[in-house]
Amino acid sequence: MHQLPETELTGAVALKPWQFRGRTLLPIVQGGMGVGVSAGRLAGTVASFGGVGTISSVDLRRLHPDLMERTGHLEGPDAKAVIDAANREALDREIARARTLSGGRGLIAVNVMKALEQYETYVRQALESGADALAVGAGLPLDLPELAKDFPHVGLMPILSDARGVQLVVRKWEKKGRLPDAIVLEHPRLAGGHLGAGKLADIGDRRFDFEVCVPEVLAFFRQAGLEGRIPLIAAGGISSHQQVLQLQELGVAAVQLGTAFAVTVESDASDAFKQVLAGARPEDLVEFISVAGLPARAVRTPWLDRYLQLQERMQKAAHVKPHCTMWFDCLAHCGLRDGNPAWGQFCIDKVLGHALDGDVRKGLFFRGSGSLPFGNQVRPVRDLLDCLLGGQVPPTSSVLTPEVQAA
């Protein structure tokens, strides 16, 4: 069994570690965030302390100038294959980078959205490139056991939001001879980005509350003879040591945070991106329907504010497009490309790319609804982990100035 690494984290013994396929890990999981926000640098740093670092697989070529030089100008039907190949190469590079930074400690996971057109391609690339685990959300990954059957050593972690989803996935996977190695329970009312609810009105449904969902899932595990075999990871709105303690007492093995890691020094996004997220106030956050047809939560920046004002008019004018506006199909089903009047009407890859670069005027900045551990400060991963683990955190860091806040 792997032991926890020797680190300088002052709170490393204050919470219960958890077991993942024979590895002993800190009970902290860094969530996957695209486009390019959580890549090799962030994931590798988190893993180096014995946690789970997660690379988001979406359009990682944006982090590699040579790949963007090769593909950024491409248009037309022939562009898709070249761009997809560049993104596979970028994913391979980021996994290698994360593994080097981790020094063999922790766990390197790759997050793949089920809603992606290239979902299977990214899953296979992550497996072949040596990811320790796959985390799949934005849809039910019922086919993941088949896709990963030749890589039995790789852990599989579906991202779900309620007990019904857990029962469905576990029962379907059991018939394929595989169980999830862990399950992420992501609360739609608290998380950022795409949310695990069918519609906006469902986000606040009590069935998603951890106090309801976790006991229901654990009861299902007992009834199914699976007690103690599938660790649960709570995600959404977590920002303190006390919350982690309470969730572990409720029965979860670990917690997942996204936004709090997005604003760390080691986050792969630009400083301006971090400033927008860290400077956002509760009233700056807004929920809407994404181009993927899912509820989403983001900071109300100038672009999003303008879009929401025009959304109804754009949806009424929705029509099928002959091709993706970026000349590659990032989503299997896209409200803009497919002309679906009930879904979002914008190019999500383009606006997330602007956000990665920190362009507040043009970018879409996904963010969770909870407060951040250090307010509007940008701190190193080490400080965040010490804070969550109950250790001593030095009272110093770079504090955002008012002129760069999101509102």
Side-chain angles (χ1 to χ4, degrees), residues 66-133:
D66 62 321
L67 298 179
M68 284 303 291
E69 183 178 356
R70 188 191 310 169
T71 62
H73 63 285
L74 296 179
E75 293 186 354
D78 296 333
K80 176 175 165 49
V82 180
I83 294 174
D84 289 342
N87 277 322
R88 292 196 302 272
E89 182 176 348
L91 177 56
D92 182 73
R93 291 182 188 180
E94 293 300 326
I95 292 173
R97 183 186 189 192
R99 193 162 296 286
T100 298
L101 286 171
S102 73
R105 296 179 290 272
L107 198 78
I108 304 298
V110 173
N111 176 283
V112 184
M113 292 175 59
K114 185 68 170 68
L116 292 175
E117 191 266 345
Q118 290 294 311
Y119 158 69
E120 293 186 13
T121 299
Y122 284 136
V123 166
R124 292 193 178 95
Q125 185 65 60
L127 293 168
E128 293 169 1
S129 295
D132 296 314

Side-chain angles (χ1 to χ4, degrees), residues 198-243:
K199 51 188 177 181
L200 285 173
D202 293 338
I203 289 175
D205 195 306
R206 183 158 165 71
R207 76 177 189 272
F208 299 124
D209 291 349
F210 295 133
E211 294 80 5
V212 174
C213 182
V214 172
E216 287 182 349
V217 171
L218 294 177
F220 161 64
F221 287 166
R222 286 192 295 271
Q223 178 269 328
L226 300 173
E227 188 171 12
R229 296 180 61 183
I230 306 176
L232 296 180
I233 303 167
I238 299 159
S239 62
S240 71
H241 172 69
Q242 186 60 34
Q243 286 175 300

Side-chain angles (χ1 to χ4, degrees), residues 18-21 156-158 160 166-167 169-171 173-174 178-185 214 217-218 220-222 224-233 251-254:
W18 69 300
Q19 300 292 319
F20 184 90
R21 297 180 64 89
L156 305 182
M157 302 189 296
L160 305 164
V166 171
Q167 291 185 43
V169 169
V170 170
R171 292 302 192 197
W173 282 28
E174 275 188 311
R178 183 75 192 257
L179 288 174
D181 295 284
I183 293 175
V184 178
L185 291 175
V214 172
V217 171
L218 294 177
F220 161 64
F221 287 166
R222 286 192 295 271
L226 300 173
E227 188 171 12
R229 296 180 61 183
I230 306 176
L232 296 180
I233 303 167
V252 307

Side-chain angles (χ1 to χ4, degrees), residues 40-380:
R41 182 188 183 198
L42 177 57
T45 301
V46 174
S48 73
F49 290 104
V52 179
T54 307
I55 297 168
S56 173
S57 64
V58 180
D59 206 12
L60 285 169
R61 68 191 172 114
R62 290 181 177 273
L63 296 177
H64 298 266
D66 62 321
L67 298 179
M68 284 303 291
E69 183 178 356
R70 188 191 310 169
T71 62
H73 63 285
L74 296 179
E75 293 186 354
D78 296 333
K80 176 175 165 49
V82 180
I83 294 174
D84 289 342
N87 277 322
R88 292 196 302 272
E89 182 176 348
L91 177 56
D92 182 73
R93 291 182 188 180
E94 293 300 326
I95 292 173
R97 183 186 189 192
R99 193 162 296 286
T100 298
L101 286 171
S102 73
R105 296 179 290 272
L107 198 78
I108 304 298
V110 173
N111 176 283
V112 184
M113 292 175 59
K114 185 68 170 68
L116 292 175
E117 191 266 345
Q118 290 294 311
Y119 158 69
E120 293 186 13
T121 299
Y122 284 136
V123 166
R124 292 193 178 95
Q125 185 65 60
L127 293 168
E128 293 169 1
S129 295
D132 296 314
L134 294 178
V136 179
L140 294 175
L142 301 180
D143 57 350
L144 192 54
E146 290 102 327
L147 295 176
K149 65 181 179 180
D150 294 331
F151 297 84
H153 61 285
V154 177
L156 305 182
M157 302 189 296
I159 303 172
L160 305 164
S161 292
D162 62 11
R164 288 181 290 182
V166 171
Q167 291 185 43
L168 175 60
V169 169
V170 170
R171 292 302 192 197
K172 293 289 187 180
W173 282 28
E174 275 188 311
K175 295 178 181 179
K176 304 172 190 290
R178 183 75 192 257
L179 288 174
D181 295 284
I183 293 175
V184 178
L185 291 175
E186 190 174 77
H187 198 312
R189 182 170 52 81
L190 303 171
H194 290 107
L195 309 173
K199 51 188 177 181
L200 285 173
D202 293 338
I203 289 175
D205 195 306
R206 183 158 165 71
R207 76 177 189 272
F208 299 124
D209 291 349
F210 295 133
E211 294 80 5
V212 174
C213 182
V214 172
E216 287 182 349
V217 171
L218 294 177
F220 161 64
F221 287 166
R222 286 192 295 271
Q223 178 269 328
L226 300 173
E227 188 171 12
R229 296 180 61 183
I230 306 176
L232 296 180
I233 303 167
I238 299 159
S239 62
S240 71
H241 172 69
Q242 186 60 34
Q243 286 175 300
V244 183
L245 276 175
Q246 292 171 348
L247 286 164
Q248 284 198 326
E249 291 172 357
L250 191 62
V252 307
V255 298
Q256 176 177 291
L257 296 88
T259 305
F261 279 108
V263 301
T264 58
V265 172
E266 295 88 350
S267 165
D268 293 275
S270 66
D271 289 342
F273 174 95
K274 300 171 191 179
Q275 291 166 358
V276 170
L277 266 63
R281 302 162 301 188
E283 59 266 31
D284 296 324
L285 304 183
V286 62
E287 294 83 37
F288 59 98
I289 294 296
S290 163
V291 69
L294 297 168
R297 178 173 292 110
V299 181
R300 187 188 285 271
T301 51
W303 175 83
L304 184 54
D305 195 45
R306 288 195 302 272
Y307 168 73
L308 293 175
Q309 293 175 24
L310 298 172
Q311 177 180 250
E312 185 176 355
R313 186 189 311 174
M314 296 174 71
Q315 288 176 325
K316 288 180 178 178
H319 61 281
V320 177
K321 312 298 189 298
H323 59 78
C324 172
T325 61
M326 297 292 284
W327 290 100
F328 71 103
D329 299 327
C330 67
L331 294 170
H333 302 286
C334 167
L336 178 64
R337 183 194 65 222
D338 301 338
N340 188 331
W343 292 11
Q345 298 296 309
F346 56 90
C347 175
I348 192 166
D349 186 79
K350 181 181 294 184
V351 293
L352 288 178
H354 288 315
L356 176 68
D357 296 333
D359 190 334
V360 183
R361 296 176 300 105
K362 299 179 181 178
L364 171 61
F365 293 77
F366 284 146
R367 188 195 190 280
S369 65
S371 61
L372 295 175
F374 301 114
N376 65 349
Q377 297 182 10
V378 175
R379 294 266 198 137

